[in-house]
């Protein structure tokens, strides 16, 4: 019973904090100058440019191609070595 009461109090505190933080955020956005907003937007966009492009596949086909190439190379080397002996 005591734990439930404590949990309710904590949840109410977080809900109150969320409401207060939303108000602070709204005030900050209203005070934001055009140049500050532009700078913030450019910073966000620079983060997106640094990420690799989205892949259309899992890469499994490319992996299998590389394995196949490696297997062919290994087979050629093994044949060359066996001819020496």
């Amino acid at each position: 019973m005591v734990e439930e009461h404590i949990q309710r109090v904590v949840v109410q505190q977080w809900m109150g904090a969320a409401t207060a933080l939303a108000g602070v955020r709204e005030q900050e956005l209203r005070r934001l100058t055009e140049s500050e907003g532009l700078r913030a937007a450019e910073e966000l966009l620079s983060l997106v440019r640094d990420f690799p492009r989205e892949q259309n596949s899992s890469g499994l086909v490319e992996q299998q191609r590389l394995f196949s190439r490696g297997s062919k190379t290994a087979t050629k080397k093994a044949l060359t070595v066996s001819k020496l002996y």
Side-chain angles (χ1 to χ4, degrees), residues 1-10:
M1 289 279 193
V2 174
E3 274 188 35
E4 287 180 28
H5 174 71
I6 292 172
Q7 289 176 349
R8 284 191 186 114
V9 169
V10 170

Side-chain angles (χ1 to χ4, degrees), residues 50-85:
D50 292 340
F51 282 103
R53 292 180 183 237
E54 188 175 319
Q55 293 181 345
N56 292 334
S57 70
S58 66
L60 183 61
V61 172
E62 177 66 13
Q63 180 185 35
Q64 293 300 318
R65 185 183 67 77
L66 293 172
F67 286 160
S68 174
R69 183 188 301 166
S71 174
K72 290 175 186 175
T73 302
T75 302
K76 287 180 186 177
K77 287 182 182 177
L79 291 174
T80 304
V81 170
S82 67
K83 288 180 183 177
L84 295 174
Y85 295 101

Side-chain angles (χ1 to χ4, degrees), residues 19-32:
T19 303
L21 288 172
V24 169
R25 179 75 174 140
E26 184 178 339
Q27 289 175 358
E28 288 177 347
L29 288 173
R30 288 184 189 279
R31 292 185 192 138
L32 195 66

